[in-house]
């Protein structure tokens, strides 16, 4: 087979300005706008601001990897494309947190599911946080532009793989809704390796869409370059102090590059963005910064089928059910969204639980295993306050997120739902991801067994790939860290454009919510800085 094109490397060959901090940094860089991060919020912002004619500098602590580097090998992908080599966990170790750490951020490694912010989430923000500009009708044009730009559409180009079809079949049999997931792909090869970077450039991540557009418009990229702290004085950022780092996150040297700009955009992702502001001693008169950080804590259930499922092949996520989100009032039990999880071998070895002989026995079922997941919608109920971003002694971020009885109640109900769906779809056995979990051979047996599980941290298997909050928007300074236009309430030339701006979790995979909100905020910022009206698409 002939070698596939690599548009990013072709751009570098044409002279795009991309610099590896590990190879050396200048003492000072100046620009109109400095953007920390290169993920969903940063990419959209960079394209819009360069369209307005602004000189943009992008700062990324992760490495530059392109489609030529993506080889569908988990060990290499996890170590080079994810925060802390895919080993990031909450402070008590009870929740595994997957976030991207590379040029393009999590957009490079997500599973492409693309949902608009649910109407009931937007209404909650209006009612509780004064975000009147974020109604469903007001946000629709911003979502539409992003959907065109990133080729988001219902994934009906290929039938759902068996892993996803189980969810649809089982949901229909127990009488709940299920539908097709929109995905941001173009010419997808249906390989199933989205979480390791797309080797065919089908995924419309920031790596092949907005970042190339910004670099073509003379933006400058510094990767393996960490934004260490903001110099803040008299209500303004004076500069960003940056340090060169290796792929493993260690500093190369004590060399500091100062980036000076008219305006600064922090878009390092929830956890890293609050941490940067905390390291910088940013004004926080109401003690909000880093608080209300949400995860969509995820529970998992493995169903074993007589026929081969091959959950590693095909679009990772193409079917979902919102039945238990739509029917979950904010003041009631925690709601959850149902989806399927792809199972590459390394990920499977974790989600199937156990170790040694137990894990080896479970892996015998690997080709016949279907994996379902439930995303907990956190942040709506008074007993769902999320977590707090703190700093380790070295200044690195640490998320303190305590699993409460309220969250555990939602997780137990989700395990019951997933088991019922899997048995309805023909599973021979079902096992919840729990230290005390075992294979149940009927729905009745599963219902009794799951009811007896001890719901405690480190016993209940919990993960998350969605991090939101920590720098949330509010209609007044007593309702949030930043204004509804994305500008910090107490720092005039600083904006935040990433998932940390959300006052609650989304209740759906958040990438399109970040894209849509950032599209709005970045367009307003471009108008503020230049007087020009520009559009993403």
């Amino acid at each position: 087979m002939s070698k596939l094109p690599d548009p990013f490397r072709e751009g570098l060959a044409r002279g795009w300005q991309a610099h590896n901090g590990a190879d050396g940094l200048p003492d000072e860089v100046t620009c109109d706008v400095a953007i920390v991060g290169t993920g969903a919020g940063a990419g959209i912002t960079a394209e819009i601001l360069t369209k307005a004619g602004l000189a943009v500098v992008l700062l990324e602590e992760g490495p530059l990897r392109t489609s030529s580097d993506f080889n569908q090998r988990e060990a290499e992908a996890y170590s080079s494309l994810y925060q802390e080599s895919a080993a990031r966990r909450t402070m008590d170790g009870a929740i595994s947190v997957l976030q991207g750490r590379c040029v393009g951020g999590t957009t490079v490694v997500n599973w492409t599911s693309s949902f608009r912010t649910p109407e009931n989430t937007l209404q909650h923000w209006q009612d509780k946080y004064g975000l009147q500009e974020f109604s469903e009708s007001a946000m629709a044009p911003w979502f539409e532009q992003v959907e065109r730009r990133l080729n988001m559409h219902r994934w009906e180009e290929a039938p759902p793989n068996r892993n996803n079809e189980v969810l649809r079949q089982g949901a229909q049999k127990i009488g709940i809704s299920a539908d097709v997931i929109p995905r941001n792909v173009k010419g997808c090869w249906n390989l199933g390796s989205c979480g390791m970077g797309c080797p065919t450039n089908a995924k419309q991540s920031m790596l092949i869409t907005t970042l190339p557009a910004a670099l073509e418009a003379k933006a400058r990229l510094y990767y393996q370059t960490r934004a260490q702290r903001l110099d803040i004085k008299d209500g303004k950022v004076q500069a960003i102090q940056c340090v060169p780092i290796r792929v493993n996150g260690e500093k190369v040297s004590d060399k500091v590059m100062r980036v000076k700009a008219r305006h600064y955009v922090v878009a390092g992702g929830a956890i890293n963005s609050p941490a940067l502001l905390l390291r910088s001693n940013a004004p926080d008169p109401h003690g909000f910064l880093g608080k209300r950080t949400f995860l969509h804590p995820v529970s998992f259930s493995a169903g074993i089928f007589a026929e081969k499922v091959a959950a590693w092949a095909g679009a990772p996520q193409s079917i979902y059910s919102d039945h238990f989100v739509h029917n979950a009032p904010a003041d009631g039990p925690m709601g959850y969204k149902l989806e399927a999880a792809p199972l590459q071998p390394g990920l499977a070895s974790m989600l199937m639980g156990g170790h040694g002989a137990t894990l080896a026995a479970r892996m015998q079922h690997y080709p016949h295993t279907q994996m379902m997941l439930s995303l907990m919608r956190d942040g709506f109920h008074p007993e769902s306050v999320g977590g707090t971003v703190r700093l380790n002694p070295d200044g690195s971020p640490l998320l303190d997120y305590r699993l409460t009885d309220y969250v555990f109640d939602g997780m137990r109900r989700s395990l019951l739902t997933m088991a019922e769906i899997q048995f309805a779809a023909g599973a021979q056995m079902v096992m919840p991801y729990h230290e005390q979990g075992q294979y149940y051979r009927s729905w009745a047996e599963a219902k009794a067994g799951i009811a007896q599980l001890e719901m405690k941290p480190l016993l209940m298997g919990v993960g998350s790939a969605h991090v939101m909050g920590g720098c949330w928007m509010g209609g007044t300074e007593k309702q949030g860290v930043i204004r509804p236009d994305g500008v910090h309430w107490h720092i005039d030339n600083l904006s935040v454009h990433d998932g940390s701006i959300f006052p609650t979790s989304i209740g759906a995979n958040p990438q399109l919510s970040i894209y849509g909100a950032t599209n709005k905020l970045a367009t307003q910022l471009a108008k503020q800085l230049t007087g020009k009206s520009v559009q993403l698409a």
Side-chain angles (χ1 to χ4, degrees):
M1 184 178 69
S2 60
K3 189 174 181 180
L4 292 170
D6 186 335
F8 205 102
R9 290 196 180 186
E10 292 170 3
L12 293 174
R14 289 198 307 274
W16 287 355
Q17 296 188 56
H19 311 278
N20 186 342
D23 294 336
L25 291 172
D27 292 332
E28 185 171 289
V29 170
T30 59
C31 57
D32 293 319
V33 182
I35 302 174
V36 178
T38 57
I44 295 290
T45 299
E47 177 166 350
I48 289 171
L49 297 186
T50 53
K51 272 191 171 186
L54 291 162
V56 170
V57 165
L58 290 146
L59 303 167
E60 169 60 55
E61 74 166 20
L64 173 61
R65 298 289 186 268
T66 68
S67 58
S68 300
D69 302 303
F70 302 148
N71 54 22
Q72 301 178 283
R73 295 175 183 166
E74 286 180 278
E76 293 182 26
Y78 297 156
S79 64
S80 65
L81 303 178
Y82 286 79
Q83 291 285 350
E84 300 173 33
S85 298
R88 173 168 277 185
R89 303 187 74 87
T90 51
M91 190 168 74
D92 62 359
I95 308 175
S96 175
V97 182
L98 294 179
Q99 287 182 292
R101 180 180 169 275
C102 56
V103 174
T106 302
T107 74
V108 174
V109 295
N110 69 24
W111 296 342
T112 77
S113 297
S114 305
F115 297 95
R116 293 189 182 188
T117 313
E119 190 279 332
N120 55 3
T121 298
L122 293 172
Q123 188 62 56
H124 186 76
W125 294 353
Q126 294 170 67
D127 296 341
K128 300 294 184 181
Y129 297 94
L131 299 178
Q132 305 309 318
E133 300 174 25
F134 284 79
S135 67
E136 186 176 33
S137 60
M139 288 302 298
W142 304 108
F143 287 135
E144 289 167 3
Q145 289 178 14
V146 169
E147 288 161 349
R148 287 196 302 271
R149 176 68 178 94
L150 302 180
N151 207 55
M152 293 175 171
H153 59 282
R154 284 167 58 91
W155 177 247
E156 296 177 312
E157 299 171 19
N161 62 9
R162 180 64 178 147
N163 198 42
N164 282 269
E165 186 60 29
V166 164
L167 173 54
R168 175 155 62 185
Q169 289 179 349
Q172 290 172 345
K173 287 186 177 180
I174 71 169
I176 67 172
S177 62
D179 205 351
V180 176
I181 293 179
R183 304 180 64 218
N184 62 317
V185 293
K186 182 188 294 183
C188 179
W189 289 32
N190 214 22
L191 298 175
S193 57
C194 302
M196 293 172 272
C198 181
T200 68
N201 286 313
K203 183 194 299 188
Q204 300 298 285
S205 71
M206 300 299 91
L207 183 65
I208 68 160
T209 54
T210 60
L211 295 179
L215 290 166
E216 198 69 35
K218 307 304 181 185
R220 288 166 283 170
L221 167 66
Y222 290 85
Y223 59 94
Q224 287 182 229
T225 302
R226 177 180 293 137
Q228 193 69 26
R229 63 177 290 123
L230 310 174
D231 292 335
I232 302 170
K233 183 179 179 182
D234 299 328
K236 289 184 178 295
V237 178
Q238 307 297 317
I240 305 177
Q241 294 183 24
C242 303
V243 296
I245 61 171
R246 298 184 174 88
V247 174
N248 66 3
E250 295 178 351
K251 283 201 305 182
V252 173
S253 68
D254 292 327
K255 167 74 176 180
V256 173
M257 175 179 76
R258 287 171 55 85
V259 180
K260 302 180 72 171
R262 291 172 55 196
H263 198 90
Y264 300 81
V265 177
V266 173
I271 296 182
N272 285 356
S273 286
L276 173 59
L277 296 182
L278 287 167
R279 286 197 300 270
S280 306
N281 296 315
D284 184 25
H286 305 290
F288 289 161
L289 184 58
K291 306 291 199 316
R292 295 189 62 79
T293 300
F294 300 105
L295 287 177
H296 286 157
V298 176
S299 59
F300 300 87
S301 181
I304 311 302
F305 288 78
E307 70 275 18
K308 188 175 181 179
V309 174
W312 58 83
Q317 292 183 325
S318 56
I319 301 293
Y320 74 100
S321 174
D322 271 352
H323 178 85
F324 297 95
V325 175
H326 291 323
N327 296 315
D331 59 354
M334 181 170 272
Y336 46 91
K337 185 184 190 77
L338 298 171
E339 296 174 340
L343 283 184
Q344 279 71 40
L347 184 59
S349 68
M350 181 181 74
L351 296 181
M352 294 177 76
H355 59 275
T358 299
L359 177 58
R362 291 175 180 177
M363 288 298 288
Q364 294 297 313
H365 299 299
Y366 173 48
H368 298 264
T369 300
Q370 189 270 344
M371 188 63 67
M372 202 170 297
L373 64 80
S374 293
L375 303 171
M376 304 292 115
R377 189 187 69 169
D378 50 345
F380 289 75
H381 192 276
E383 295 180 32
S384 180
V385 297
T388 299
V389 174
R390 306 186 188 281
L391 296 179
N392 285 305
D394 65 357
S396 61
L398 182 65
L399 177 61
D400 182 4
Y401 187 108
R402 308 298 173 90
L403 290 166
T404 64
D405 289 343
Y406 179 78
V407 178
F408 279 135
D409 173 73
M411 292 196 151
R412 190 189 302 275
R413 288 184 290 107
S414 75
L415 291 177
L416 289 166
T417 295
M418 293 187 288
E420 184 179 12
I421 289 172
Q422 288 167 323
F423 278 118
Q428 296 180 324
M429 299 186 295
V430 168
M431 182 179 63
Y433 181 34
H434 189 287
E435 188 67 22
Q436 298 168 340
Q438 56 185 283
Y439 286 119
Y440 305 117
R441 297 181 179 277
S442 70
W443 165 226
E445 187 179 332
K447 188 158 51 173
I450 292 170
Q452 297 302 313
L453 296 176
E454 294 180 73
M455 303 304 283
K456 296 180 179 179
L458 302 176
L459 288 181
M460 178 69 206
V462 185
S464 182
H466 304 159
V467 191
M468 299 145 284
C471 297
W472 71 93
M473 296 181 289
T476 69
E477 67 167 271
K478 293 184 179 180
Q479 291 176 295
V481 176
I482 65 170
R483 305 184 325 213
D485 65 356
V487 177
H488 195 283
W489 274 108
H490 305 284
I491 306 174
D492 295 340
N493 64 341
L494 174 68
S495 296
V496 182
H497 288 184
D498 58 23
S500 69
I501 69 174
F502 300 136
T504 66
S505 76
I506 299 298
N509 308 60
Q511 75 158 341
L512 179 49
S513 292
I514 298 171
Y515 289 143
T518 300
N519 185 20
K520 179 180 188 294
L521 303 181
T523 302
Q524 293 172 336
L525 180 59
K527 179 75 170 179
Q528 172 195 330
L529 294 177
T530 69
K532 297 178 181 178
S533 297
V534 295
Q535 287 191 350
L536 182 68

